[in-house]
Amino acid sequence: MTRRLLLSHLSLMLFVLLALEVPFGILYARSELSRFSHAAQQGAMTLAEVCEDKMEHGLTADLPELARAYGQRTGSRVLVAGHKGTVLTDTAARAPVGRDLSAEPDISTALRDQPAVGTRSDPSTGGEVLFVTVPGGSDTAIACVVRTVYTLGSLKAKVHGTWLALAGVGLGVLTAVSLIGFALARSITRPVQALERATAQLAEGRITDPPATDHGPPELRRLAVSFTRTATRLQHLLQAQQAFASEASHQLKTPLTALRLRLENFEPHLAPCAHDSLDKALGELERLSRMVQGLLALARLENSEIRPEAVDLSAVVADRAAIWTAFADEQQVGIIVRGATGARVWAVPGALEQIIDNLLSNALRVSPPGTAITLATTTAPREGGGTPPMTELHVTDQGPGMSEAERRSAFDRFWRAADADHDGTGLGLPMVRQLTRACGGEVALEAAPDGGLDAVVRFQCAESRLHRE
């Protein structure tokens, strides 16, 4: 975030500098060239008037010395031509005396009483030069033509120096803006980073490094104060809930066990007709005990932060099926395991065992004798391109099944079907859903093809996730 703020700040400042300095530099270069051209033209016109005066008084022999003196004073090359365009003198000695230059554009223009000013490339130096060609005299009597040629190296050096000065000023401004922008960005992002760290710590259950409430802009300081107050309250609530979950398991077990013993002690002293009521009371007490254990297990699960790890789903399914086979045989129900071996999924430690146990326990309650419960493991791609495949665990029974409305409500706590004739607590399926979500998966109840219920638990494949990471 600091980098983005600083880059945006510098980008804006760079745009402003370019918008100001580039036009200024271009305008300065043009104005310097215009000023230099105007001064050269004024000097050439003055020299032409002097040459015209010399020629009128018959002092043509003074022209070479006059041209040489002017050239030395102004740093230019001077050429003087007569009224027909023939060379009278050339300080650069490039055109011999008497050579006709009337065909050259600038000389021809000056002979028509029009000055010619422009730039061109000099073949001898390879650089650019400024030439100024002016007439000496009036349109009716052009006595001479004066051409002055200036090299633009010094002017370009001056312009380049100005560009360098502008670049230096811009660099200095950017440096100062960078320091100011970095300090400003840090003053904004440092409290945000502290809030981010504190939020991550709060998600793990405890804030060890609370954000400072005296740094940054006033808005962020107020946000830090509000966050700290909220986080402190949440921590107290979480700690109270964790304390309840840990203490209730010990405090509730003892009275429930004592109550069960007292009821069992009443059995020898009761009339035979009261034994049925005593058995029902003991059954309800057992159901209450399981409900308390389920609630405590859900509370501990919601309060814990456990990271998933790669687990062999096929091995866990085979192990739990072997353990539940004895209970299923008592009810004349078979357990069938299908699917490929070696299917590895991401799950929190111990979650798969609890998920399978709860699903098998529910399936056994509704399975009539002579039927079978199927545990099938399959791997299917998810809908949408680029999504990783999921491993599915199907626990299918041949019981009466559920309607669509019942399947939607089955994961609510304490929910039981209207025609249920078993002593369930209504916490098994909510615990399955909570455990599955902790593993990063999802669970759903579907109608089995041949009747009954198909509990589908989807897990992330460990191999595909490791490949992406």
Side-chain angles (χ1 to χ4, degrees):
M1 186 175 179
T2 302
R3 189 185 304 109
R4 290 194 297 270
L5 286 175
L6 186 59
L7 287 178
S8 61
H9 193 60
L10 289 180
S11 299
L12 179 60
M13 184 55 61
L14 181 62
F15 174 77
V16 172
L17 286 176
L18 291 177
L20 293 176
E21 290 191 348
V22 171
F24 176 78
I26 295 175
L27 181 63
Y28 174 79
R30 291 179 178 176
S31 64
E32 282 296 305
L33 180 60
S34 177
R35 184 185 63 80
F36 187 76
S37 300
H38 181 71
Q41 187 175 358
Q42 291 295 325
M45 292 176 64
T46 301
L47 178 61
E49 291 178 358
V50 174
C51 291
E52 179 189 8
D53 184 65
K54 291 286 185 180
M55 294 178 69
E56 287 181 354
H57 291 83
L59 301 175
T60 307
D62 294 342
L63 294 180
E65 182 61 28
L66 180 64
R68 185 166 45 255
Y70 182 84
Q72 290 177 353
R73 187 173 66 253
T74 60
S76 63
R77 301 195 301 266
V78 182
L79 182 146
V80 181
H83 65 283
K84 293 183 177 180
T86 57
V87 177
L88 299 178
T89 182
D90 183 6
T91 58
R94 294 182 180 177
V97 176
R99 181 177 176 181
D100 186 6
L101 299 180
S102 60
E104 294 190 4
D106 60 325
I107 300 296
S108 176
T109 301
L111 289 175
R112 294 193 300 270
D113 199 21
Q114 295 293 329
V117 181
T119 59
R120 64 188 178 192
S121 179
D122 188 0
S124 62
T125 61
E128 194 175 11
V129 296
L130 171 72
F131 66 89
V132 178
T133 307
V134 296
S138 62
D139 187 20
T140 57
I142 300 297
C144 63
V145 173
V146 174
R147 175 201 283 172
T148 56
V149 179
Y150 298 85
T151 59
L152 296 179
S154 59
L155 179 63
K156 288 188 174 182
K158 185 178 180 181
V159 172
H160 289 165
T162 303
W163 278 110
L164 289 176
L166 290 175
V169 171
L171 184 61
V173 170
L174 285 178
T175 302
V177 169
S178 299
L179 296 177
I180 297 173
F182 180 77
L184 180 62
R186 288 290 293 170
S187 68
I188 296 175
T189 58
R190 187 176 298 173
V192 174
Q193 292 172 351
L195 284 171
E196 182 182 6
R197 290 193 300 269
T199 304
Q201 294 172 1
L202 180 62
E204 296 177 356
R206 184 175 182 82
I207 297 180
T208 58
D209 185 18
T213 59
D214 55 350
H215 294 100
E219 295 82 0
L220 290 178
R221 291 200 296 268
R222 291 194 295 269
L223 177 60
V225 171
S226 300
F227 175 83
T228 303
R229 184 167 57 249
T230 304
T232 302
R233 180 169 178 80
L234 285 176
Q235 278 188 298
H236 289 164
L237 292 175
L238 289 174
Q239 290 172 358
Q241 188 175 2
Q242 290 174 354
F244 170 78
S246 61
E247 294 173 2
S249 60
H250 299 286
Q251 298 298 328
L252 292 177
K253 284 180 181 179
T254 301
L256 288 175
T257 304
L259 180 60
R260 181 182 180 83
L261 292 175
R262 289 180 181 274
L263 289 175
E264 290 177 348
N265 290 335
F266 285 150
E267 185 174 6
H269 308 287
L270 294 177
C273 61
H275 286 177
D276 184 60
S277 297
L278 178 61
D279 292 338
K280 291 182 179 179
L282 289 174
E284 288 297 321
L285 182 62
E286 181 66 24
R287 180 171 172 270
L288 176 61
S289 179
R290 291 199 306 271
M291 185 179 297
V292 169
Q293 293 299 325
L295 287 173
L296 294 176
L298 281 174
R300 285 193 294 269
L301 181 62
E302 292 172 351
N303 292 332
S304 61
E305 181 69 22
I306 308 174
R307 296 184 180 276
E309 58 185 30
V311 181
D312 190 342
L313 175 62
S314 303
V316 176
V317 168
D319 177 68
R320 304 318 296 173
I323 292 177
W324 279 88
T325 298
F327 299 97
D329 290 343
E330 294 178 358
Q331 301 183 24
Q332 300 178 8
V333 176
I335 296 180
I336 303 172
V337 178
R338 293 176 181 172
T341 60
R344 297 179 62 81
V345 299
W346 286 97
V348 297
L352 291 181
E353 290 82 356
Q354 297 184 58
I355 292 173
I356 296 173
D357 287 347
N358 278 283
L359 293 178
L360 283 175
S361 176
N362 289 340
L364 279 175
R365 288 196 183 102
V366 299
S367 294
T371 61
I373 300 173
T374 303
L375 283 80
T377 304
T378 61
T379 301
R382 303 218 37 196
E383 296 181 358
T387 56
M390 302 287 285
T391 296
E392 296 182 350
L393 171 63
H394 294 259
V395 180
T396 308
D397 61 61
Q398 297 175 344
M402 291 183 178
S403 66
E404 184 178 354
E406 290 175 335
R407 292 198 300 270
R408 286 197 302 266
S409 304
F411 291 102
D412 297 337
R413 294 185 180 183
F414 305 112
W415 180 89
R416 297 176 65 193
D419 56 350
D421 57 356
H422 55 79
D423 57 350
T425 62
L427 294 175
L429 288 177
M431 187 177 298
V432 169
R433 181 175 60 179
Q434 191 72 20
L435 288 168
T436 305
R437 288 177 176 176
C439 298
E442 53 192 24
V443 61
L445 297 179
E446 300 176 359
D450 299 329
L453 193 66
D454 182 11
V456 184
V457 189
R458 298 178 178 89
F459 301 97
Q460 294 185 20
C461 292
E463 289 79 4
S464 62
R465 181 170 170 181
L466 287 173
H467 180 70
R468 294 198 313 274
E469 294 177 353

